[in-house]
Amino acid sequence: MTFIRNMNRRAVLRTGGAMALGTLAAPTILRAQEGPIVLGHLTPRTGFLGPLGDYAVMGVDLAVEHINAEGGIMGRDLQVLKEDSVNPQTASTKAERMIERDGVAAITGEISSASTLAIGQVAERTGTVFVNTGGNSDTLRGSDCKRHMFHVETQNAMYLNGEGLHFLNADLVEGKKWYLPTADYAFGHDLLNGARAFLDRNGGEIVGDDLVATDATDFSAIMLKIRSAQPDVVALNLAGTQITGFLKQYGEFGLDYPIGGFGFDTQSAWAAGPQNFSGTWPSVWNHLIDTEESQAFAKAFADKYGKPPENQAWSDYTALRIMAKAMTEIGGTDADALIEYLESGATFDLMKSRPGYFNPDSHQLLQDIYAITALPEAEVENEWDIFTTSGPVLGADQPLEVLIEDAVGGTCTFAA
Amino acid sequence: METALFLSQLLNGLLDGFYYLLIALGLSLIFSLGGIINLAHGAFFAVGAYMAIVLAPHVGFFGAVIVGPILVGALGIVVERLLFKRFYRIDPLYSLLLTFGLAMVLEQTLRLIFGSAPLAFNIPDVLRGQVFMGEFIYSRYRIFTIVVAVVVVAALWWLLNRTAFGRIVRAGIQNPDILATLGISLRPYLSAVAAIGIGLAGLAGVLMAPIHPVHPAMGIEVLVAAFVVVVIGGLGSFWGVVLAAMLVGVVKGFMVAIDLSSWSLASIYLLMFVVLLVRPRGLMGERITRFE
């Protein structure tokens, strides 16, 4: 009792008050720990990549719904702050604000390679994990790689190797003439370099490689050049609505050289329509992939949005699934622990015939890719199923590392 | 390069110019008469493209080519009566802000109704295929669009130069105050010009829907190019705009033809730069007292 006796009335009141406050405050602190896990999501909602960004957001919303319905992450709800990334400058500012002001545990999203790099730099500086769901450039996995940046989206080399296998199998490479219309920005240049290296290795010849501004919509001049060059293959290094416009005008000018490309989103096929869509294209995922998980996802998406998911929706959905699993496994959101886990070779269900894992040297998610081929117009039954999908382009016994061979983006070294 | 290819590129450039012409003529008319710099012109082009998609199943593609621009023109009258008319007599900067906002509202409305994913739309069966003229191959559909554009541009020229309507519009461009003292109210003419100008953008949208990706932001590229055409051609000059549209088309095509395709878009800005340096009023721009 010495303790009490030595205290005066004020001290007792003070201690009692503090204890009472402590008791009142305790549930608040507990609640804070049990509160939602907040992630940030940035992707372009406007401009030529905006339509893909919409699918990304649909994928995010569906993932949040599914993850929370299954009990959230470690029993805590998942919440995602979503914003339009607009351009690299805005993407960078918004990423910083999400991290500093909103205290997000990680960031996912993006489509433009330039904005991906901008967010990656902020993530690296602030020590926050960023999962890229749409930027393809090899440099992001090479000389511009970041320890805090991971890539669910396939890199250009994977598309190149995948689509390249298709052309090699069709005997359209050795001694053949190629025409390569190319988007005039980082993504297109990167693909063009990769395509050049691929054709050099395999004895193909480039007869044209016109650079096309991202906001160009008329390709008639290029169509005339292609017709005059009489190539054996036309392979597009284009992106977004450019591919749609090109396919429409390719049909309009009656060109029928085998066509394909080294980057593709299913939306470009849908927007071109069955009359105009032609050729064989690489696909990271599509709604016709014949696995139970893919079909269940496609159905859940169609039930919610009234149309099948685009591969961008799959990518953003999958990124959140991966983050949820990683955070559950490490029992928290600590960035270093997350990186260690993601680099550990842990495998993730990607709704494909085999699971994927991150390459620890570049943080690229290694996964199967597919090829889709346009259906003849007469065989098309609805506006969505206008192509058929191959199985995985790699045989089940071939390692996934084959797909990142000969990437052209330089060497990745993570800053310690 | 072979001469045939080079010539076909030049011809293609000329034909490409008609596409800019439809947009630029309306832009130039609305500015010349009312002093409104219509930044929403590209959005009306997009509305026209969506009109094609909505109308074609009901009235057929050719029906859409007629009904679409009329509906877009009617929308133009509504916009003119509700919004433009408040901005005729004040600093053009305000109308710039107004139409910038209007462009965003229109684009977002399209996005809300149709979604932001591009929609598929095809060339009608009768116009599919190509026409061969010696070495030159051209799309049958584009020839159709050019015929439509030529007819429309000729009709517009006739309207502006051979009718009482045109005389008043031309007088209104030069000096609205004198018209007012003569007891002629410009109001119905301002509405009519907005309807014609915006209807032309709608027509371009309908015509481009089968060969361009149709999405809510599709008007931005064409708007910028159309402004370049108007600036190069010179304000108030019908033939100036026609000449500038052809020039822009040819220069763009030329850059692709000589394997400098990455300069294709930049070249039209360089062209504008040079024209502004040499002739600040544009190639055939008239001296309009109230804008001096």
Side-chain angles (χ1 to χ4, degrees):
Chain A
M1 296 301 284
T2 334
F3 170 69
I4 295 269
R5 228 180 295 137
N6 289 345
M7 287 172 85
N8 61 25
R9 194 178 59 92
R10 280 173 194 273
V12 170
L13 278 177
R14 255 200 320 266
T15 318
M19 281 168 72
L21 270 178
T23 322
L24 282 175
T28 320
I29 294 165
L30 277 179
R31 262 206 303 275
Q33 280 170 345
E34 285 168 355
I37 287 183
V38 184
L39 300 185
H41 183 261
L42 285 166
T43 210
R45 304 295 303 275
T46 42
F48 82 112
L49 294 171
L52 284 174
D54 273 11
Y55 275 107
V57 169
M58 290 183 222
V60 167
D61 289 343
L62 191 63
V64 171
E65 208 175 292
H66 286 179
I67 290 168
N68 287 340
E70 291 161 15
I73 301 173
M74 301 174 295
R76 296 164 65 184
D77 266 359
L78 169 64
Q79 214 178 60
V80 179
L81 300 179
K82 297 164 292 186
E83 287 209 45
D84 180 358
S85 61
V86 187
N87 57 38
Q89 294 76 16
T90 313
S92 166
T93 314
K94 288 191 172 178
E96 202 148 346
R97 202 171 61 204
M98 281 178 165
I99 294 165
E100 306 289 353
R101 190 189 71 186
D102 306 317
V104 297
I107 290 183
T108 68
E110 204 40 64
I111 298 173
S112 144
S113 291
S115 297
T116 302
L117 177 59
I119 300 173
Q121 285 163 340
V122 174
E124 188 78 350
R125 196 172 66 241
T126 54
T128 312
V129 169
F130 164 48
V131 182
N132 158 32
T133 58
N136 301 63
S137 165
D138 277 347
T139 355
L140 292 169
R141 288 81 169 167
S143 52
D144 282 337
C145 74
K146 303 275 177 275
R147 186 171 163 260
H148 288 81
M149 179 163 66
F150 289 80
H151 312 275
V152 166
E153 171 67 297
T154 41
Q155 69 183 88
N156 282 342
M158 297 167 80
Y159 280 135
L160 258 162
N161 287 323
E163 180 80 350
L165 275 174
H166 156 73
F167 284 122
L168 285 169
N169 291 338
D171 194 23
L172 283 170
V173 186
E174 200 183 344
K176 304 291 182 185
K177 292 189 288 183
W178 283 55
Y179 206 104
L180 300 160
T182 297
D184 197 3
Y185 76 115
F187 161 80
H189 294 183
D190 212 49
L191 269 186
L192 179 60
N193 287 338
R196 277 199 187 114
F198 167 79
L199 292 172
D200 271 355
R201 281 197 304 279
N202 296 290
E205 180 200 352
I206 298 178
V207 292
D209 56 0
D210 297 310
L211 292 175
V212 185
T214 51
D215 49 359
T217 50
D218 185 74
F219 300 97
S220 54
I222 294 178
M223 297 304 162
L224 294 174
K225 280 179 82 175
I226 291 177
R227 182 173 172 273
S228 161
Q230 308 230 322
D232 297 299
V233 178
V234 177
L236 308 187
N237 300 318
L238 302 177
T241 50
Q242 284 184 320
I243 295 181
T244 307
F246 193 95
L247 286 174
K248 279 182 149 184
Q249 292 167 36
Y250 196 72
E252 183 201 353
F253 277 79
L255 302 180
D256 54 3
Y257 311 107
I259 189 169
F262 292 124
F264 197 66
D265 294 294
T266 20
Q267 177 205 256
S268 303
W270 293 332
Q275 190 190 75
N276 299 308
F277 183 51
S278 55
T280 297
W281 304 79
S283 167
V284 59
W285 182 90
N286 64 74
H287 71 289
L288 297 175
I289 287 175
D290 193 18
T291 63
E292 210 176 297
E293 297 85 350
S294 285
Q295 288 312 306
F297 171 64
K299 183 176 180 312
F301 191 95
D303 287 347
K304 189 171 165 69
Y305 300 110
K307 56 183 177 182
E310 213 272 349
N311 51 277
Q312 191 60 53
W314 169 85
S315 200
D316 286 81
Y317 179 93
T318 301
L320 286 183
R321 280 289 192 188
I322 289 175
M323 289 314 275
K325 182 180 178 192
M327 286 175 176
T328 306
E329 290 291 325
I330 65 164
T333 59
D334 176 65
D336 286 327
L338 275 174
I339 295 172
E340 195 181 330
Y341 175 76
L342 294 173
E343 283 181 341
S344 70
T347 58
F348 301 95
D349 175 15
L350 305 174
M351 313 176 197
K352 303 179 179 182
S353 38
R354 61 175 141 173
Y357 51 90
F358 285 96
N359 173 12
D361 299 326
S362 68
H363 289 178
Q364 171 62 49
L365 180 65
L366 297 179
Q367 54 185 314
D368 268 319
I369 66 165
Y370 302 77
I372 59 175
T373 302
L375 271 177
E377 199 181 343
E379 291 173 30
V380 172
E381 285 172 7
N382 64 57
E383 60 183 307
W384 307 110
D385 302 335
I386 66 174
F387 49 79
T388 54
T389 184
S390 70
V393 294
L394 288 185
D397 52 337
Q398 281 178 290
L400 293 170
E401 280 76 7
V402 171
L403 289 174
I404 53 168
E405 278 175 7
D406 306 305
V408 292
T411 320
C412 168
T413 34
F414 294 124
Chain B
M1 187 195 310
E2 311 153 42
T3 332
L5 175 61
F6 191 74
L7 285 177
S8 67
Q9 287 290 6
L10 286 186
L11 188 53
N12 178 53
L14 273 179
L15 302 179
D16 192 26
F18 279 99
Y19 157 60
Y20 297 116
L21 183 57
L22 286 179
I23 320 253
L25 269 180
L27 205 59
S28 172
L29 259 182
I30 293 172
F31 179 72
S32 303
L33 189 61
I36 302 273
I37 300 169
N38 185 16
L39 288 181
H41 218 64
F44 288 112
F45 166 77
V47 172
Y50 279 94
M51 284 281 179
I53 291 179
V54 173
L55 292 172
H58 306 290
V59 296
F61 176 75
F62 297 102
V65 170
I66 295 163
V67 182
I70 292 175
L71 291 180
V72 178
L75 180 63
I77 294 183
V78 174
V79 167
E80 195 275 335
R81 282 295 86 197
L82 288 179
L83 302 170
F84 286 5
K85 73 164 183 187
R86 298 167 206 276
F87 291 81
Y88 289 136
R89 293 269 166 187
I90 54 177
D91 191 333
L93 197 63
Y94 291 101
S95 65
L96 204 72
L97 290 173
L98 168 82
T99 53
F100 184 63
L102 181 63
M104 286 200 275
V105 170
L106 286 172
E107 187 184 322
Q108 284 303 330
T109 307
L110 289 176
R111 195 164 277 139
L112 283 174
I113 300 174
F114 299 99
S116 65
L119 299 183
F121 189 69
N122 290 331
I123 296 175
D125 284 342
V126 284
L127 295 174
R128 283 170 82 167
Q130 298 76 36
V131 174
F132 295 85
M133 287 169 283
E135 281 290 307
F136 190 62
I137 173 183
Y138 216 61
S139 134
R140 188 178 290 174
Y141 180 75
R142 268 178 216 237
I143 291 175
F144 163 77
T145 64
I146 287 156
V147 169
V148 173
V150 169
V151 169
V152 168
V153 170
L156 186 64
W157 180 85
W158 179 81
L159 185 69
L160 288 175
N161 292 284
R162 292 283 182 271
T163 64
F165 172 88
R167 275 193 291 280
I168 294 175
V169 168
R170 280 183 293 131
I173 289 174
Q174 279 304 334
N175 201 327
D177 296 330
I178 289 188
L179 270 189
T181 54
L182 292 172
I184 299 171
S185 164
L186 256 189
R187 180 188 269 206
Y189 295 92
L190 285 163
S191 293
V193 161
I196 293 170
I198 290 172
L200 284 178
L203 174 65
V206 174
L207 291 176
M208 289 302 131
I211 51 176
H212 280 201
V214 179
H215 60 103
M218 67 186 291
I220 292 169
E221 186 257 351
V222 71
L223 175 74
V224 178
F227 264 112
V228 172
V229 167
V230 172
V231 172
I232 293 177
L235 281 171
S237 163
F238 184 90
W239 292 112
V241 172
V242 174
L243 179 68
M246 301 300 125
L247 204 57
V248 161
V250 168
V251 168
K252 274 184 69 185
F254 179 74
M255 297 316 267
V256 178
I258 58 168
D259 283 331
L260 282 174
S261 57
S262 58
W263 281 87
S264 171
L265 271 189
S267 64
I268 67 172
Y269 300 107
L270 281 176
L271 181 67
M272 177 172 78
F273 180 70
V274 172
V275 168
L276 283 179
L277 272 184
V278 181
R279 275 187 69 87
R281 211 179 283 153
L283 290 178
M284 297 169 74
E286 288 176 20
R287 188 187 168 91
I288 300 176
T289 335
R290 62 200 169 98
F291 294 137
E292 296 285 322

mmCIF file of all heavy atoms in Angstrom, chain A residues 221-235:
data_model
loop_
_atom_site.group_PDB
_atom_site.id
_atom_site.type_symbol
_atom_site.label_atom_id
_atom_site.label_comp_id
_atom_site.label_asym_id
_atom_site.label_seq_id
_atom_site.Cartn_x
_atom_site.Cartn_y
_atom_site.Cartn_z
ATOM 1 N N ALA A 221 -1.626 5.506 -95.682
ATOM 2 C CA ALA A 221 -0.323 5.653 -96.339
ATOM 3 C C ALA A 221 0.529 4.412 -96.105
ATOM 4 O O ALA A 221 1.236 3.946 -97.015
ATOM 5 C CB ALA A 221 0.385 6.895 -95.805
ATOM 6 N N ILE A 222 0.453 3.858 -94.888
ATOM 7 C CA ILE A 222 1.235 2.655 -94.590
ATOM 8 C C ILE A 222 0.675 1.451 -95.353
ATOM 9 O O ILE A 222 1.425 0.593 -95.825
ATOM 10 C CB ILE A 222 1.258 2.406 -93.064
ATOM 11 C CG1 ILE A 222 2.040 3.552 -92.408
ATOM 12 C CG2 ILE A 222 1.890 1.065 -92.729
ATOM 13 C CD1 ILE A 222 2.121 3.472 -90.915
ATOM 14 N N MET A 223 -0.656 1.402 -95.502
ATOM 15 C CA MET A 223 -1.262 0.297 -96.256
ATOM 16 C C MET A 223 -0.717 0.264 -97.690
ATOM 17 O O MET A 223 -0.412 -0.796 -98.228
ATOM 18 C CB MET A 223 -2.795 0.443 -96.308
ATOM 19 C CG MET A 223 -3.487 0.370 -94.971
ATOM 20 S SD MET A 223 -3.119 -1.139 -94.075
ATOM 21 C CE MET A 223 -3.597 -0.659 -92.427
ATOM 22 N N LEU A 224 -0.606 1.450 -98.287
ATOM 23 C CA LEU A 224 -0.092 1.517 -99.668
ATOM 24 C C LEU A 224 1.355 1.038 -99.720
ATOM 25 O O LEU A 224 1.766 0.340 -100.647
ATOM 26 C CB LEU A 224 -0.209 2.942 -100.205
ATOM 27 C CG LEU A 224 -1.638 3.472 -100.384
ATOM 28 C CD1 LEU A 224 -1.617 4.944 -100.785
ATOM 29 C CD2 LEU A 224 -2.414 2.654 -101.413
ATOM 30 N N LYS A 225 2.129 1.413 -98.686
ATOM 31 C CA LYS A 225 3.532 0.977 -98.660
ATOM 32 C C LYS A 225 3.642 -0.529 -98.471
ATOM 33 O O LYS A 225 4.480 -1.187 -99.084
ATOM 34 C CB LYS A 225 4.282 1.683 -97.525
ATOM 35 C CG LYS A 225 4.706 3.099 -97.876
ATOM 36 C CD LYS A 225 5.425 3.760 -96.735
ATOM 37 C CE LYS A 225 6.887 3.387 -96.651
ATOM 38 N NZ LYS A 225 7.572 4.150 -95.580
ATOM 39 N N ILE A 226 2.782 -1.066 -97.610
ATOM 40 C CA ILE A 226 2.834 -2.511 -97.357
ATOM 41 C C ILE A 226 2.515 -3.258 -98.647
ATOM 42 O O ILE A 226 3.191 -4.213 -99.027
ATOM 43 C CB ILE A 226 1.828 -2.905 -96.252
ATOM 44 C CG1 ILE A 226 2.296 -2.359 -94.899
ATOM 45 C CG2 ILE A 226 1.661 -4.429 -96.186
ATOM 46 C CD1 ILE A 226 1.346 -2.620 -93.760
ATOM 47 N N ARG A 227 1.492 -2.780 -99.343
ATOM 48 C CA ARG A 227 1.097 -3.459 -100.573
ATOM 49 C C ARG A 227 2.242 -3.434 -101.592
ATOM 50 O O ARG A 227 2.512 -4.405 -102.281
ATOM 51 C CB ARG A 227 -0.142 -2.804 -101.161
ATOM 52 C CG ARG A 227 -0.619 -3.515 -102.402
ATOM 53 C CD ARG A 227 -1.924 -2.998 -102.899
ATOM 54 N NE ARG A 227 -2.206 -3.599 -104.201
ATOM 55 C CZ ARG A 227 -1.771 -3.097 -105.343
ATOM 56 N NH1 ARG A 227 -1.052 -1.991 -105.350
ATOM 57 N NH2 ARG A 227 -2.047 -3.702 -106.477
ATOM 58 N N SER A 228 2.937 -2.299 -101.616
ATOM 59 C CA SER A 228 4.033 -2.170 -102.560
ATOM 60 C C SER A 228 5.221 -3.048 -102.155
ATOM 61 O O SER A 228 5.933 -3.574 -103.007
ATOM 62 C CB SER A 228 4.420 -0.694 -102.623
ATOM 63 O OG SER A 228 5.681 -0.546 -103.151
ATOM 64 N N ALA A 229 5.429 -3.229 -100.845
ATOM 65 C CA ALA A 229 6.576 -4.019 -100.377
ATOM 66 C C ALA A 229 6.322 -5.523 -100.475
ATOM 67 O O ALA A 229 7.268 -6.312 -100.444
ATOM 68 C CB ALA A 229 6.903 -3.647 -98.929
ATOM 69 N N GLN A 230 5.057 -5.926 -100.599
ATOM 70 C CA GLN A 230 4.689 -7.336 -100.696
ATOM 71 C C GLN A 230 5.397 -8.225 -99.685
ATOM 72 O O GLN A 230 6.117 -9.162 -100.061
ATOM 73 C CB GLN A 230 4.992 -7.826 -102.105
ATOM 74 C CG GLN A 230 4.375 -6.941 -103.165
ATOM 75 C CD GLN A 230 3.597 -7.733 -104.178
ATOM 76 O OE1 GLN A 230 3.984 -8.809 -104.565
ATOM 77 N NE2 GLN A 230 2.447 -7.196 -104.577
ATOM 78 N N PRO A 231 5.209 -7.975 -98.410
ATOM 79 C CA PRO A 231 5.898 -8.781 -97.394
ATOM 80 C C PRO A 231 5.266 -10.167 -97.250
ATOM 81 O O PRO A 231 4.159 -10.397 -97.743
ATOM 82 C CB PRO A 231 5.669 -7.967 -96.116
ATOM 83 C CG PRO A 231 4.371 -7.275 -96.350
ATOM 84 C CD PRO A 231 4.303 -6.981 -97.826
ATOM 85 N N ASP A 232 5.976 -11.069 -96.571
ATOM 86 C CA ASP A 232 5.400 -12.386 -96.278
ATOM 87 C C ASP A 232 4.612 -12.340 -94.971
ATOM 88 O O ASP A 232 3.729 -13.162 -94.737
ATOM 89 C CB ASP A 232 6.514 -13.425 -96.152
ATOM 90 C CG ASP A 232 7.264 -13.589 -97.467
ATOM 91 O OD1 ASP A 232 6.621 -13.980 -98.448
ATOM 92 O OD2 ASP A 232 8.477 -13.281 -97.506
ATOM 93 N N VAL A 233 5.018 -11.405 -94.088
ATOM 94 C CA VAL A 233 4.361 -11.285 -92.781
ATOM 95 C C VAL A 233 4.237 -9.809 -92.422
ATOM 96 O O VAL A 233 5.164 -9.037 -92.658
ATOM 97 C CB VAL A 233 5.203 -11.963 -91.667
ATOM 98 C CG1 VAL A 233 4.540 -11.787 -90.303
ATOM 99 C CG2 VAL A 233 5.420 -13.434 -91.954
ATOM 100 N N VAL A 234 3.082 -9.423 -91.874
ATOM 101 C CA VAL A 234 2.951 -8.093 -91.294
ATOM 102 C C VAL A 234 2.796 -8.301 -89.791
ATOM 103 O O VAL A 234 1.870 -8.982 -89.351
ATOM 104 C CB VAL A 234 1.723 -7.354 -91.856
ATOM 105 C CG1 VAL A 234 1.559 -5.995 -91.176
ATOM 106 C CG2 VAL A 234 1.862 -7.169 -93.357
ATOM 107 N N ALA A 235 3.743 -7.791 -89.018
ATOM 108 C CA ALA A 235 3.679 -7.976 -87.562
ATOM 109 C C ALA A 235 3.621 -6.610 -86.903
ATOM 110 O O ALA A 235 4.487 -5.768 -87.128
ATOM 111 C CB ALA A 235 4.889 -8.755 -87.081
#
